[in-house]
Amino acid sequence: MWEISISIDSQKAVCIDNLMRDISPYVKQAGGVMARGKTLSRDYLSLACEDSHHKLITDALHDIISDIIITDFKLDYLKENSRLPINNRINYNAFIKALVEFDREFDRDMVIRKLFFQKELMLDGFYNFRLKELRSRWQEICDLANNNSVYLSYHETFLELLKFLVNTINSKLEEVHIFNENGNYVFYDKDMKKLKYADYHLDEEINSDTIIPSLINLSPNRIIFYSIDKLPVVIVNMISSIFENRVEVR
């Protein structure tokens, strides 16, 4: 019987919740079992299956855990270590998200190279002790942004830099259709099926403050707007500047 326990400090328990959600179909496919629990100041998820099926789970764990590190952990690191002006919340959210997505594939490869599964994996310990090189790269990004933060106060310069960063991000979807529904923006895929936001680390509700970082996260090849007249002009202009000919209005 193969088994593993994955834990984290309870202050970051949401990571275990996300892990449980994402790994669940693979555990089921492998005929395994899992248990979610808490002990002292740590939350954990225990997984087990027959030895002959464990590769199905470990392959999925590589993808899921690396995604948690390079999305959630990286976002926290950039927020804690950058000194970007946050007087404009829309610009700040967009720029931080672009930095999170920047060099994503390199970050993922580095995490996966360092990730080995034994009987127990402490996610925060893995991050703190095995990923020092990765954090050094993130610090370089912070330093570069901090040293040039004065230029980000100039709107045109900010948009040019943001557009450059967005153009380096690999697309996660071919196209996204956006509707305004009861004051929030709802994303649908090319088949007009509502996106499962959790699958893409999107907020449960997307509003005027988060629509641009949400689009940067997805970096779709086509962005189709409906009822664009309900979207603030400043946001429409920003999206048009950042994504240029990817944007279409219907």
Side-chain angles (χ1 to χ4, degrees), residues 6 40 98 105 109 113-114 116 144 148-149 191 197 247:
I6 303 172
L40 298 177
E105 294 308 312
D109 290 343
R113 286 201 307 270
K114 302 284 187 178
F116 304 99
L144 185 61
N148 293 278
S149 60
D191 299 317
Y197 291 174
V247 181

Side-chain angles (χ1 to χ4, degrees), residues 90-91 155 159 162 178 180 185 207-213 215 223-250:
I90 292 173
N91 286 10
H155 192 63
L159 287 179
L162 195 55
I178 304 174
N180 186 305
Y185 304 100
N207 55 37
S208 297
D209 285 346
T210 58
I211 186 172
I212 295 177
L215 288 172
I223 301 170
I224 300 97
F225 278 104
Y226 302 79
S227 303
I228 198 170
D229 56 301
K230 296 181 180 180
L231 195 63
V233 173
V234 63
I235 295 179
V236 174
N237 291 341
M238 278 188 66
I239 292 173
S240 299
S241 296
I242 296 166
F243 294 96
E244 294 184 312
N245 57 2
R246 301 193 216 179
V247 181
E248 179 181 334
V249 179
R250 293 184 183 175

Side-chain angles (χ1 to χ4, degrees), residues 179-197:
F179 292 83
N180 186 305
E181 298 181 7
N182 300 319
N184 289 314
Y185 304 100
V186 184
F187 288 11
Y188 295 82
D189 64 15
K190 64 179 181 180
D191 299 317
M192 299 305 286
K193 294 180 180 178
K194 185 179 178 181
L195 293 189
K196 295 181 179 179
Y197 291 174

Side-chain angles (χ1 to χ4, degrees), residues 39-61:
T39 176
L40 298 177
S41 62
R42 299 190 68 78
D43 280 58
Y44 66 87
L45 180 66
S46 295
L47 310 171
C49 70
E50 295 296 331
D51 289 331
S52 57
H53 294 144
H54 85 276
K55 189 176 185 302
L56 178 65
I57 296 178
T58 54
D59 285 351
L61 284 174

